[in-house]
Amino acid sequence: MNDVNIYIYTEYSGSLKSGAGKYHIVLESRIETVSGKILYTILDQGACKGITKNRLELVAIDKALKHLKAAGKVTVYTASEYLTGAFKQGWPYKWQKNDYKRNNKPVAHADLWKNIMEKMEQYDITFVFSNTTTYTKWQATELKKINKNKQAAGGSK
């Protein structure tokens, strides 16, 4: 069982109803090897237009969870009060029991909540509010540099 840390950093501009944003994801895992532990990092990013801030944050966690391959303990660090607050209050579990409805109406972003909750069943996940730490910003900057170098070399992303 490998422990994984997921760092999510989002940048958003726009109104409550619609805007544009970017997400940056860093996954870190310490994998046991014969010679000791190795830090394994996956970096990912994406951009979305015509999206709300809350949906952008859910897209980021959904994308991050898609990278996980083996069962284990996962800690998600994010500055998303929407995401951390929802889990702190237990809302996603209530919505899941009620087929992603609240007062007989679909919850906002039910499609993403359903995907996230299905993926979470495989892992022991803890969400930690991490008010855009220096580390997360540094990782996002490094990711931008890597992708800029890929593009300059004729690669994708």
Side-chain angles (χ1 to χ4, degrees), residues 3-37:
D3 290 352
V4 176
N5 292 321
I6 298 174
Y7 300 90
I8 297 175
Y9 173 66
T10 57
E11 302 171 46
Y12 184 80
S13 62
S15 69
L16 291 175
K17 295 188 180 213
S18 184
K22 294 179 183 178
Y23 62 84
H24 309 275
I25 301 166
V26 177
L27 278 77
E28 291 182 333
S29 179
R30 297 203 181 271
I31 300 171
E32 293 289 337
T33 66
V34 176
S35 60
K37 292 184 177 185

PDB file of all heavy atoms in Angstrom, residues 3-37:
ATOM      1  N   ASP A   3       1.433   5.378   0.064  1.00  0.00           N
ATOM      2  CA  ASP A   3       0.805   6.636   0.438  1.00  0.00           C
ATOM      3  C   ASP A   3       1.024   7.625  -0.688  1.00  0.00           C
ATOM      4  O   ASP A   3       2.108   7.685  -1.262  1.00  0.00           O
ATOM      5  CB  ASP A   3       1.420   7.182   1.718  1.00  0.00           C
ATOM      6  CG  ASP A   3       1.058   6.346   2.940  1.00  0.00           C
ATOM      7  OD1 ASP A   3       0.213   5.448   2.812  1.00  0.00           O
ATOM      8  OD2 ASP A   3       1.625   6.606   4.012  1.00  0.00           O
ATOM      9  N   VAL A   4      -0.006   8.395  -0.998  1.00  0.00           N
ATOM     10  CA  VAL A   4       0.072   9.372  -2.080  1.00  0.00           C
ATOM     11  C   VAL A   4      -0.381  10.721  -1.538  1.00  0.00           C
ATOM     12  O   VAL A   4      -1.377  10.815  -0.825  1.00  0.00           O
ATOM     13  CB  VAL A   4      -0.835   8.970  -3.269  1.00  0.00           C
ATOM     14  CG1 VAL A   4      -0.829  10.040  -4.343  1.00  0.00           C
ATOM     15  CG2 VAL A   4      -0.426   7.633  -3.839  1.00  0.00           C
ATOM     16  N   ASN A   5       0.362  11.757  -1.893  1.00  0.00           N
ATOM     17  CA  ASN A   5      -0.050  13.126  -1.615  1.00  0.00           C
ATOM     18  C   ASN A   5      -0.447  13.751  -2.940  1.00  0.00           C
ATOM     19  O   ASN A   5       0.272  13.627  -3.929  1.00  0.00           O
ATOM     20  CB  ASN A   5       1.088  13.938  -1.005  1.00  0.00           C
ATOM     21  CG  ASN A   5       1.437  13.461   0.380  1.00  0.00           C
ATOM     22  OD1 ASN A   5       0.570  13.110   1.161  1.00  0.00           O
ATOM     23  ND2 ASN A   5       2.715  13.444   0.686  1.00  0.00           N
ATOM     24  N   ILE A   6      -1.601  14.401  -2.959  1.00  0.00           N
ATOM     25  CA  ILE A   6      -2.064  15.112  -4.150  1.00  0.00           C
ATOM     26  C   ILE A   6      -2.136  16.593  -3.788  1.00  0.00           C
ATOM     27  O   ILE A   6      -2.751  16.965  -2.794  1.00  0.00           O
ATOM     28  CB  ILE A   6      -3.460  14.630  -4.596  1.00  0.00           C
ATOM     29  CG1 ILE A   6      -3.438  13.154  -4.968  1.00  0.00           C
ATOM     30  CG2 ILE A   6      -3.980  15.488  -5.756  1.00  0.00           C
ATOM     31  CD1 ILE A   6      -4.808  12.577  -5.284  1.00  0.00           C
ATOM     32  N   TYR A   7      -1.478  17.407  -4.591  1.00  0.00           N
ATOM     33  CA  TYR A   7      -1.510  18.853  -4.400  1.00  0.00           C
ATOM     34  C   TYR A   7      -2.261  19.449  -5.584  1.00  0.00           C
ATOM     35  O   TYR A   7      -1.896  19.209  -6.735  1.00  0.00           O
ATOM     36  CB  TYR A   7      -0.095  19.426  -4.340  1.00  0.00           C
ATOM     37  CG  TYR A   7       0.724  18.845  -3.214  1.00  0.00           C
ATOM     38  CD1 TYR A   7       1.493  17.708  -3.411  1.00  0.00           C
ATOM     39  CD2 TYR A   7       0.712  19.431  -1.951  1.00  0.00           C
ATOM     40  CE1 TYR A   7       2.233  17.159  -2.371  1.00  0.00           C
ATOM     41  CE2 TYR A   7       1.452  18.892  -0.913  1.00  0.00           C
ATOM     42  CZ  TYR A   7       2.205  17.760  -1.125  1.00  0.00           C
ATOM     43  OH  TYR A   7       2.942  17.220  -0.110  1.00  0.00           O
ATOM     44  N   ILE A   8      -3.304  20.208  -5.291  1.00  0.00           N
ATOM     45  CA  ILE A   8      -4.107  20.822  -6.352  1.00  0.00           C
ATOM     46  C   ILE A   8      -4.056  22.336  -6.185  1.00  0.00           C
ATOM     47  O   ILE A   8      -4.291  22.869  -5.102  1.00  0.00           O
ATOM     48  CB  ILE A   8      -5.564  20.340  -6.299  1.00  0.00           C
ATOM     49  CG1 ILE A   8      -5.611  18.837  -6.561  1.00  0.00           C
ATOM     50  CG2 ILE A   8      -6.419  21.106  -7.302  1.00  0.00           C
ATOM     51  CD1 ILE A   8      -6.977  18.238  -6.410  1.00  0.00           C
ATOM     52  N   TYR A   9      -3.744  22.993  -7.279  1.00  0.00           N
ATOM     53  CA  TYR A   9      -3.691  24.450  -7.311  1.00  0.00           C
ATOM     54  C   TYR A   9      -4.550  24.891  -8.491  1.00  0.00           C
ATOM     55  O   TYR A   9      -4.370  24.403  -9.604  1.00  0.00           O
ATOM     56  CB  TYR A   9      -2.239  24.905  -7.475  1.00  0.00           C
ATOM     57  CG  TYR A   9      -2.064  26.381  -7.699  1.00  0.00           C
ATOM     58  CD1 TYR A   9      -2.379  27.301  -6.705  1.00  0.00           C
ATOM     59  CD2 TYR A   9      -1.582  26.852  -8.907  1.00  0.00           C
ATOM     60  CE1 TYR A   9      -2.202  28.655  -6.911  1.00  0.00           C
ATOM     61  CE2 TYR A   9      -1.401  28.213  -9.116  1.00  0.00           C
ATOM     62  CZ  TYR A   9      -1.723  29.106  -8.110  1.00  0.00           C
ATOM     63  OH  TYR A   9      -1.558  30.449  -8.321  1.00  0.00           O
ATOM     64  N   THR A  10      -5.526  25.763  -8.238  1.00  0.00           N
ATOM     65  CA  THR A  10      -6.374  26.255  -9.324  1.00  0.00           C
ATOM     66  C   THR A  10      -6.238  27.769  -9.439  1.00  0.00           C
ATOM     67  O   THR A  10      -6.012  28.465  -8.456  1.00  0.00           O
ATOM     68  CB  THR A  10      -7.861  25.886  -9.105  1.00  0.00           C
ATOM     69  OG1 THR A  10      -8.297  26.395  -7.851  1.00  0.00           O
ATOM     70  CG2 THR A  10      -8.064  24.392  -9.160  1.00  0.00           C
ATOM     71  N   GLU A  11      -6.353  28.236 -10.671  1.00  0.00           N
ATOM     72  CA  GLU A  11      -6.363  29.667 -10.971  1.00  0.00           C
ATOM     73  C   GLU A  11      -7.666  29.936 -11.701  1.00  0.00           C
ATOM     74  O   GLU A  11      -7.978  29.253 -12.673  1.00  0.00           O
ATOM     75  CB  GLU A  11      -5.200  30.029 -11.887  1.00  0.00           C
ATOM     76  CG  GLU A  11      -3.827  29.689 -11.347  1.00  0.00           C
ATOM     77  CD  GLU A  11      -2.751  29.889 -12.402  1.00  0.00           C
ATOM     78  OE1 GLU A  11      -2.764  30.932 -13.079  1.00  0.00           O
ATOM     79  OE2 GLU A  11      -1.906  28.987 -12.538  1.00  0.00           O
ATOM     80  N   TYR A  12      -8.430  30.925 -11.245  1.00  0.00           N
ATOM     81  CA  TYR A  12      -9.741  31.173 -11.832  1.00  0.00           C
ATOM     82  C   TYR A  12      -9.973  32.657 -12.007  1.00  0.00           C
ATOM     83  O   TYR A  12      -9.612  33.463 -11.151  1.00  0.00           O
ATOM     84  CB  TYR A  12     -10.835  30.586 -10.924  1.00  0.00           C
ATOM     85  CG  TYR A  12     -12.221  30.726 -11.503  1.00  0.00           C
ATOM     86  CD1 TYR A  12     -12.662  29.850 -12.475  1.00  0.00           C
ATOM     87  CD2 TYR A  12     -13.071  31.731 -11.088  1.00  0.00           C
ATOM     88  CE1 TYR A  12     -13.936  29.972 -13.027  1.00  0.00           C
ATOM     89  CE2 TYR A  12     -14.335  31.870 -11.627  1.00  0.00           C
ATOM     90  CZ  TYR A  12     -14.760  30.988 -12.596  1.00  0.00           C
ATOM     91  OH  TYR A  12     -16.010  31.107 -13.146  1.00  0.00           O
ATOM     92  N   SER A  13     -10.608  33.011 -13.117  1.00  0.00           N
ATOM     93  CA  SER A  13     -11.058  34.381 -13.321  1.00  0.00           C
ATOM     94  C   SER A  13     -12.427  34.325 -13.976  1.00  0.00           C
ATOM     95  O   SER A  13     -12.660  33.527 -14.871  1.00  0.00           O
ATOM     96  CB  SER A  13     -10.079  35.168 -14.206  1.00  0.00           C
ATOM     97  OG  SER A  13     -10.000  34.577 -15.480  1.00  0.00           O
ATOM     98  N   GLY A  14     -13.321  35.129 -13.467  1.00  0.00           N
ATOM     99  CA  GLY A  14     -14.668  35.152 -14.018  1.00  0.00           C
ATOM    100  C   GLY A  14     -15.682  35.397 -12.926  1.00  0.00           C
ATOM    101  O   GLY A  14     -15.341  35.698 -11.786  1.00  0.00           O
ATOM    102  N   SER A  15     -16.935  35.220 -13.296  1.00  0.00           N
ATOM    103  CA  SER A  15     -18.028  35.457 -12.361  1.00  0.00           C
ATOM    104  C   SER A  15     -18.407  34.150 -11.669  1.00  0.00           C
ATOM    105  O   SER A  15     -17.829  33.100 -11.941  1.00  0.00           O
ATOM    106  CB  SER A  15     -19.235  36.000 -13.125  1.00  0.00           C
ATOM    107  OG  SER A  15     -19.769  34.980 -13.948  1.00  0.00           O
ATOM    108  N   LEU A  16     -19.396  34.227 -10.795  1.00  0.00           N
ATOM    109  CA  LEU A  16     -19.891  33.015 -10.140  1.00  0.00           C
ATOM    110  C   LEU A  16     -20.545  32.066 -11.138  1.00  0.00           C
ATOM    111  O   LEU A  16     -20.570  30.865 -10.939  1.00  0.00           O
ATOM    112  CB  LEU A  16     -20.914  33.380  -9.055  1.00  0.00           C
ATOM    113  CG  LEU A  16     -20.376  34.085  -7.826  1.00  0.00           C
ATOM    114  CD1 LEU A  16     -21.515  34.488  -6.905  1.00  0.00           C
ATOM    115  CD2 LEU A  16     -19.387  33.204  -7.091  1.00  0.00           C
ATOM    116  N   LYS A  17     -21.076  32.622 -12.238  1.00  0.00           N
ATOM    117  CA  LYS A  17     -21.789  31.789 -13.212  1.00  0.00           C
ATOM    118  C   LYS A  17     -20.900  31.208 -14.296  1.00  0.00           C
ATOM    119  O   LYS A  17     -21.166  30.139 -14.804  1.00  0.00           O
ATOM    120  CB  LYS A  17     -22.919  32.587 -13.849  1.00  0.00           C
ATOM    121  CG  LYS A  17     -23.973  32.968 -12.835  1.00  0.00           C
ATOM    122  CD  LYS A  17     -25.168  33.577 -13.492  1.00  0.00           C
ATOM    123  CE  LYS A  17     -26.176  33.929 -12.417  1.00  0.00           C
ATOM    124  NZ  LYS A  17     -27.516  33.813 -12.823  1.00  0.00           N
ATOM    125  N   SER A  18     -19.845  31.926 -14.679  1.00  0.00           N
ATOM    126  CA  SER A  18     -18.996  31.416 -15.744  1.00  0.00           C
ATOM    127  C   SER A  18     -17.679  32.183 -15.810  1.00  0.00           C
ATOM    128  O   SER A  18     -17.631  33.371 -15.549  1.00  0.00           O
ATOM    129  CB  SER A  18     -19.706  31.543 -17.092  1.00  0.00           C
ATOM    130  OG  SER A  18     -18.923  30.964 -18.108  1.00  0.00           O
ATOM    131  N   GLY A  19     -16.645  31.445 -16.162  1.00  0.00           N
ATOM    132  CA  GLY A  19     -15.338  32.059 -16.291  1.00  0.00           C
ATOM    133  C   GLY A  19     -14.370  31.088 -16.932  1.00  0.00           C
ATOM    134  O   GLY A  19     -14.758  30.144 -17.613  1.00  0.00           O
ATOM    135  N   ALA A  20     -13.114  31.303 -16.679  1.00  0.00           N
ATOM    136  CA  ALA A  20     -12.067  30.441 -17.211  1.00  0.00           C
ATOM    137  C   ALA A  20     -11.082  30.147 -16.090  1.00  0.00           C
ATOM    138  O   ALA A  20     -10.910  30.947 -15.170  1.00  0.00           O
ATOM    139  CB  ALA A  20     -11.355  31.116 -18.370  1.00  0.00           C
ATOM    140  N   GLY A  21     -10.462  29.003 -16.190  1.00  0.00           N
ATOM    141  CA  GLY A  21      -9.516  28.656 -15.147  1.00  0.00           C
ATOM    142  C   GLY A  21      -8.537  27.592 -15.583  1.00  0.00           C
ATOM    143  O   GLY A  21      -8.698  26.963 -16.629  1.00  0.00           O
ATOM    144  N   LYS A  22      -7.527  27.426 -14.754  1.00  0.00           N
ATOM    145  CA  LYS A  22      -6.518  26.401 -14.972  1.00  0.00           C
ATOM    146  C   LYS A  22      -6.396  25.596 -13.691  1.00  0.00           C
ATOM    147  O   LYS A  22      -6.594  26.123 -12.598  1.00  0.00           O
ATOM    148  CB  LYS A  22      -5.159  27.028 -15.268  1.00  0.00           C
ATOM    149  CG  LYS A  22      -5.087  27.796 -16.553  1.00  0.00           C
ATOM    150  CD  LYS A  22      -3.700  28.390 -16.711  1.00  0.00           C
ATOM    151  CE  LYS A  22      -3.620  29.248 -17.967  1.00  0.00           C
ATOM    152  NZ  LYS A  22      -2.300  29.869 -18.105  1.00  0.00           N
ATOM    153  N   TYR A  23      -6.063  24.330 -13.851  1.00  0.00           N
ATOM    154  CA  TYR A  23      -5.762  23.526 -12.676  1.00  0.00           C
ATOM    155  C   TYR A  23      -4.373  22.928 -12.846  1.00  0.00           C
ATOM    156  O   TYR A  23      -3.909  22.677 -13.951  1.00  0.00           O
ATOM    157  CB  TYR A  23      -6.802  22.424 -12.460  1.00  0.00           C
ATOM    158  CG  TYR A  23      -6.907  21.418 -13.568  1.00  0.00           C
ATOM    159  CD1 TYR A  23      -6.048  20.320 -13.625  1.00  0.00           C
ATOM    160  CD2 TYR A  23      -7.860  21.558 -14.571  1.00  0.00           C
ATOM    161  CE1 TYR A  23      -6.137  19.393 -14.653  1.00  0.00           C
ATOM    162  CE2 TYR A  23      -7.953  20.640 -15.598  1.00  0.00           C
ATOM    163  CZ  TYR A  23      -7.099  19.561 -15.629  1.00  0.00           C
ATOM    164  OH  TYR A  23      -7.172  18.643 -16.654  1.00  0.00           O
ATOM    165  N   HIS A  24      -3.703  22.754 -11.731  1.00  0.00           N
ATOM    166  CA  HIS A  24      -2.376  22.157 -11.682  1.00  0.00           C
ATOM    167  C   HIS A  24      -2.440  21.054 -10.634  1.00  0.00           C
ATOM    168  O   HIS A  24      -2.924  21.276  -9.526  1.00  0.00           O
ATOM    169  CB  HIS A  24      -1.320  23.197 -11.294  1.00  0.00           C
ATOM    170  CG  HIS A  24      -1.387  24.439 -12.115  1.00  0.00           C
ATOM    171  ND1 HIS A  24      -0.755  24.548 -13.334  1.00  0.00           N
ATOM    172  CD2 HIS A  24      -2.024  25.609 -11.917  1.00  0.00           C
ATOM    173  CE1 HIS A  24      -0.998  25.745 -13.841  1.00  0.00           C
ATOM    174  NE2 HIS A  24      -1.770  26.410 -12.994  1.00  0.00           N
ATOM    175  N   ILE A  25      -1.953  19.884 -10.979  1.00  0.00           N
ATOM    176  CA  ILE A  25      -2.014  18.734 -10.086  1.00  0.00           C
ATOM    177  C   ILE A  25      -0.614  18.149  -9.939  1.00  0.00           C
ATOM    178  O   ILE A  25       0.098  17.973 -10.917  1.00  0.00           O
ATOM    179  CB  ILE A  25      -2.941  17.640 -10.667  1.00  0.00           C
ATOM    180  CG1 ILE A  25      -4.350  18.181 -10.883  1.00  0.00           C
ATOM    181  CG2 ILE A  25      -2.949  16.418  -9.762  1.00  0.00           C
ATOM    182  CD1 ILE A  25      -5.201  17.270 -11.749  1.00  0.00           C
ATOM    183  N   VAL A  26      -0.260  17.839  -8.699  1.00  0.00           N
ATOM    184  CA  VAL A  26       0.984  17.140  -8.417  1.00  0.00           C
ATOM    185  C   VAL A  26       0.627  15.922  -7.567  1.00  0.00           C
ATOM    186  O   VAL A  26      -0.057  16.057  -6.555  1.00  0.00           O
ATOM    187  CB  VAL A  26       1.974  18.040  -7.648  1.00  0.00           C
ATOM    188  CG1 VAL A  26       3.237  17.274  -7.296  1.00  0.00           C
ATOM    189  CG2 VAL A  26       2.301  19.281  -8.452  1.00  0.00           C
ATOM    190  N   LEU A  27       1.062  14.744  -8.005  1.00  0.00           N
ATOM    191  CA  LEU A  27       0.887  13.528  -7.213  1.00  0.00           C
ATOM    192  C   LEU A  27       2.260  13.057  -6.765  1.00  0.00           C
ATOM    193  O   LEU A  27       3.169  12.949  -7.589  1.00  0.00           O
ATOM    194  CB  LEU A  27       0.236  12.414  -8.045  1.00  0.00           C
ATOM    195  CG  LEU A  27      -1.278  12.457  -8.171  1.00  0.00           C
ATOM    196  CD1 LEU A  27      -1.701  13.494  -9.160  1.00  0.00           C
ATOM    197  CD2 LEU A  27      -1.794  11.104  -8.568  1.00  0.00           C
ATOM    198  N   GLU A  28       2.390  12.782  -5.497  1.00  0.00           N
ATOM    199  CA  GLU A  28       3.649  12.276  -4.964  1.00  0.00           C
ATOM    200  C   GLU A  28       3.382  10.963  -4.245  1.00  0.00           C
ATOM    201  O   GLU A  28       2.409  10.840  -3.506  1.00  0.00           O
ATOM    202  CB  GLU A  28       4.262  13.242  -3.953  1.00  0.00           C
ATOM    203  CG  GLU A  28       4.753  14.512  -4.534  1.00  0.00           C
ATOM    204  CD  GLU A  28       5.387  15.397  -3.485  1.00  0.00           C
ATOM    205  OE1 GLU A  28       5.025  15.310  -2.307  1.00  0.00           O
ATOM    206  OE2 GLU A  28       6.250  16.180  -3.878  1.00  0.00           O
ATOM    207  N   SER A  29       4.256  10.005  -4.458  1.00  0.00           N
ATOM    208  CA  SER A  29       4.130   8.719  -3.785  1.00  0.00           C
ATOM    209  C   SER A  29       5.516   8.204  -3.438  1.00  0.00           C
ATOM    210  O   SER A  29       6.438   8.313  -4.238  1.00  0.00           O
ATOM    211  CB  SER A  29       3.424   7.717  -4.697  1.00  0.00           C
ATOM    212  OG  SER A  29       3.329   6.468  -4.062  1.00  0.00           O
ATOM    213  N   ARG A  30       5.638   7.652  -2.274  1.00  0.00           N
ATOM    214  CA  ARG A  30       6.898   7.008  -1.890  1.00  0.00           C
ATOM    215  C   ARG A  30       6.714   5.513  -2.113  1.00  0.00           C
ATOM    216  O   ARG A  30       5.879   4.878  -1.486  1.00  0.00           O
ATOM    217  CB  ARG A  30       7.245   7.310  -0.451  1.00  0.00           C
ATOM    218  CG  ARG A  30       7.464   8.792  -0.252  1.00  0.00           C
ATOM    219  CD  ARG A  30       8.320   9.069   0.937  1.00  0.00           C
ATOM    220  NE  ARG A  30       8.507  10.481   1.123  1.00  0.00           N
ATOM    221  CZ  ARG A  30       9.485  11.185   0.581  1.00  0.00           C
ATOM    222  NH1 ARG A  30      10.375  10.613  -0.170  1.00  0.00           N
ATOM    223  NH2 ARG A  30       9.587  12.475   0.789  1.00  0.00           N
ATOM    224  N   ILE A  31       7.482   4.986  -3.042  1.00  0.00           N
ATOM    225  CA  ILE A  31       7.373   3.581  -3.424  1.00  0.00           C
ATOM    226  C   ILE A  31       8.534   2.814  -2.809  1.00  0.00           C
ATOM    227  O   ILE A  31       9.693   3.188  -2.971  1.00  0.00           O
ATOM    228  CB  ILE A  31       7.385   3.441  -4.960  1.00  0.00           C
ATOM    229  CG1 ILE A  31       6.208   4.215  -5.550  1.00  0.00           C
ATOM    230  CG2 ILE A  31       7.345   1.979  -5.370  1.00  0.00           C
ATOM    231  CD1 ILE A  31       6.245   4.335  -7.053  1.00  0.00           C
ATOM    232  N   GLU A  32       8.209   1.730  -2.108  1.00  0.00           N
ATOM    233  CA  GLU A  32       9.239   0.897  -1.484  1.00  0.00           C
ATOM    234  C   GLU A  32       9.981   0.111  -2.564  1.00  0.00           C
ATOM    235  O   GLU A  32       9.372  -0.516  -3.423  1.00  0.00           O
ATOM    236  CB  GLU A  32       8.605  -0.096  -0.503  1.00  0.00           C
ATOM    237  CG  GLU A  32       7.992   0.545   0.712  1.00  0.00           C
ATOM    238  CD  GLU A  32       9.010   1.102   1.685  1.00  0.00           C
ATOM    239  OE1 GLU A  32      10.168   0.657   1.678  1.00  0.00           O
ATOM    240  OE2 GLU A  32       8.640   2.011   2.437  1.00  0.00           O
ATOM    241  N   THR A  33      11.307   0.181  -2.533  1.00  0.00           N
ATOM    242  CA  THR A  33      12.145  -0.598  -3.443  1.00  0.00           C
ATOM    243  C   THR A  33      13.192  -1.327  -2.616  1.00  0.00           C
ATOM    244  O   THR A  33      13.314  -1.097  -1.405  1.00  0.00           O
ATOM    245  CB  THR A  33      12.862   0.311  -4.469  1.00  0.00           C
ATOM    246  OG1 THR A  33      13.786   1.145  -3.766  1.00  0.00           O
ATOM    247  CG2 THR A  33      11.881   1.162  -5.252  1.00  0.00           C
ATOM    248  N   VAL A  34      13.948  -2.165  -3.247  1.00  0.00           N
ATOM    249  CA  VAL A  34      15.005  -2.900  -2.556  1.00  0.00           C
ATOM    250  C   VAL A  34      16.012  -1.948  -1.931  1.00  0.00           C
ATOM    251  O   VAL A  34      16.496  -2.147  -0.824  1.00  0.00           O
ATOM    252  CB  VAL A  34      15.717  -3.873  -3.535  1.00  0.00           C
ATOM    253  CG1 VAL A  34      16.868  -4.571  -2.857  1.00  0.00           C
ATOM    254  CG2 VAL A  34      14.725  -4.863  -4.102  1.00  0.00           C
ATOM    255  N   SER A  35      16.300  -0.856  -2.627  1.00  0.00           N
ATOM    256  CA  SER A  35      17.299   0.095  -2.142  1.00  0.00           C
ATOM    257  C   SER A  35      16.714   1.229  -1.295  1.00  0.00           C
ATOM    258  O   SER A  35      17.422   2.127  -0.894  1.00  0.00           O
ATOM    259  CB  SER A  35      18.071   0.685  -3.321  1.00  0.00           C
ATOM    260  OG  SER A  35      17.174   1.345  -4.183  1.00  0.00           O
ATOM    261  N   GLY A  36      15.423   1.196  -1.022  1.00  0.00           N
ATOM    262  CA  GLY A  36      14.812   2.235  -0.194  1.00  0.00           C
ATOM    263  C   GLY A  36      13.581   2.830  -0.838  1.00  0.00           C
ATOM    264  O   GLY A  36      12.927   2.199  -1.663  1.00  0.00           O
ATOM    265  N   LYS A  37      13.266   4.051  -0.452  1.00  0.00           N
ATOM    266  CA  LYS A  37      12.077   4.732  -0.972  1.00  0.00           C
ATOM    267  C   LYS A  37      12.450   5.684  -2.082  1.00  0.00           C
ATOM    268  O   LYS A  37      13.464   6.368  -2.018  1.00  0.00           O
ATOM    269  CB  LYS A  37      11.382   5.504   0.147  1.00  0.00           C
ATOM    270  CG  LYS A  37      10.762   4.613   1.201  1.00  0.00           C
ATOM    271  CD  LYS A  37      10.012   5.435   2.205  1.00  0.00           C
ATOM    272  CE  LYS A  37       9.348   4.510   3.209  1.00  0.00           C
ATOM    273  NZ  LYS A  37       8.516   5.232   4.151  1.00  0.00           N
TER     274      LYS A  37
END
